[in-house]
Amino acid sequence: MKYFYFLVFLVSITSFAQERNEHKMRLMITDVSIFPLKVINVTTKEVVSTDAGGYFTINVQPNDELALIENEFYQLKYFMKKEDLQNTVIRIYPEPLTEVLREIEVEKITSKSLGIDAAEINKYIYKRNPNPNMDFKAMFLWLLGKMKKNKGEEFVERRPTDMNPYVAGLPRSVMTDYLKIPDELVEKFYYYLNDDYVIDQYIKSGDEAKWRMHLLDKSFQFLEQENIPLR
């Protein structure tokens, strides 16, 4: 009889441990214009939609598989880990779908196929440009100008009391709608990134995918520091 009660107790514990609970997650995708997306728990067949910022809630337990459906831009095959369930918001990074470009065969074009006499062209060009060194001189001056333009800017360290001007120059909606930073903390976030010079380079180079993902990670750190519940 004692053995029977022990088995019942053991089965109860196992069932409780494997019970699925609702967890909040976010798809870490830089292009927010493709939201909302549909996420499926392949194990249970539960389907949910994200909001405009990539957030969603779904019932999961360890080893459940999550995937994206009805989507032409990103792919996802993520198996939930036990440690994931300890986070307030579980961040998931889908992979972009690679598009195979159609191969196009280009026919070789020659002066003969165009009906042009190459000798006559060279003769005409020489008459218009009697100095054969002129093209080389122009090329040298062009390269010299490019080298001057590509010369790196002098690094100037910001004072501790300065906000990050590059992040502050972005639309405020990036902070409030995309990063989910409360409006009253936006300026503080600018100061929080005072010594982040990596984001400066991403924004200056126009690499939107990189600066969006970098800001996402920084915003999570900032909100945790401010004890703001991740939304």
Side-chain angles (χ1 to χ4, degrees):
M1 192 68 176
K2 291 182 179 179
Y3 180 71
F4 173 75
Y5 283 122
F6 175 76
L7 283 178
V8 172
F9 177 72
L10 184 62
V11 170
S12 300
I13 292 178
T14 304
S15 300
F16 178 77
Q18 294 182 348
E19 182 182 357
R20 287 182 174 82
N21 294 304
E22 190 175 70
H23 290 271
K24 192 167 189 175
M25 308 185 191
R26 187 180 192 185
L27 295 180
M28 305 297 283
I29 296 176
T30 57
D31 186 4
V32 294
S33 63
I34 69 172
F35 290 127
L37 292 175
K38 289 186 177 180
V39 181
I40 181 173
N41 184 332
V42 179
T43 309
T44 64
K45 307 305 180 185
E46 179 185 5
V47 177
V48 298
S49 294
T50 71
D51 63 11
Y55 287 93
F56 64 98
T57 56
I58 193 169
N59 293 290
V60 291
Q61 69 178 23
N63 300 319
D64 278 3
E65 179 186 353
L66 298 185
L68 289 173
I69 59 176
E70 299 180 8
N71 162 58
E72 299 177 354
F73 305 99
Y74 285 85
Q75 60 185 351
L76 176 66
K77 186 176 183 180
Y78 187 80
F79 291 92
M80 299 302 304
K81 299 185 288 291
K82 186 177 180 180
E83 54 268 26
D84 288 336
L85 307 184
Q86 307 302 318
N87 299 324
T88 306
V89 176
I90 302 171
R91 286 179 275 182
I92 299 178
Y93 296 81
E95 295 182 358
L97 290 171
T98 55
E99 181 180 357
V100 179
L101 299 179
R102 181 169 55 91
E103 184 177 346
I104 302 176
E105 183 178 353
V106 180
E107 183 180 356
K108 185 177 180 181
I109 299 175
T110 64
S111 58
K112 184 177 180 180
S113 67
L114 295 174
I116 301 174
D117 190 334
E120 287 296 323
I121 293 175
N122 290 333
K123 183 179 178 181
Y124 175 76
I125 292 175
Y126 183 77
K127 286 181 178 179
R128 293 288 302 273
N129 182 17
N131 183 359
N133 295 321
M134 185 176 293
D135 289 341
F136 293 104
K137 181 180 179 181
M139 185 179 296
F140 173 76
L141 293 175
W142 178 80
L143 289 173
L144 184 62
K146 290 288 289 182
M147 291 174 64
K148 289 182 178 179
K149 288 182 180 179
N150 293 335
K151 188 176 181 181
E153 298 179 9
E154 183 180 355
F155 174 75
V156 178
E157 186 175 2
R158 284 189 287 270
R159 295 174 299 178
T161 55
D162 292 340
M163 65 173 60
N164 188 306
Y166 296 97
V167 179
L170 295 174
R172 195 178 183 89
S173 59
V174 172
M175 313 302 152
T176 55
D177 299 342
Y178 178 60
L179 302 179
K180 303 298 183 182
I181 295 176
D183 189 69
E184 64 274 12
L185 292 178
V186 170
E187 281 75 18
K188 190 171 184 178
F189 184 61
Y190 296 154
Y191 288 104
Y192 176 76
L193 296 174
N194 163 273
D195 59 349
D196 189 338
Y197 297 99
V198 174
I199 191 65
D200 296 2
Q201 297 303 318
Y202 290 158
I203 295 176
K204 285 193 293 185
S205 64
D207 196 333
E208 184 173 352
K210 285 187 177 179
W211 66 249
R212 279 185 175 273
M213 189 59 67
H214 188 81
L215 283 180
L216 268 178
D217 288 331
K218 289 295 182 179
S219 67
F220 273 92
Q221 297 172 18
F222 174 73
L223 293 174
E224 289 175 358
Q225 173 184 290
E226 297 297 316
N227 295 319
I228 303 296
L230 299 177
R231 296 181 291 170

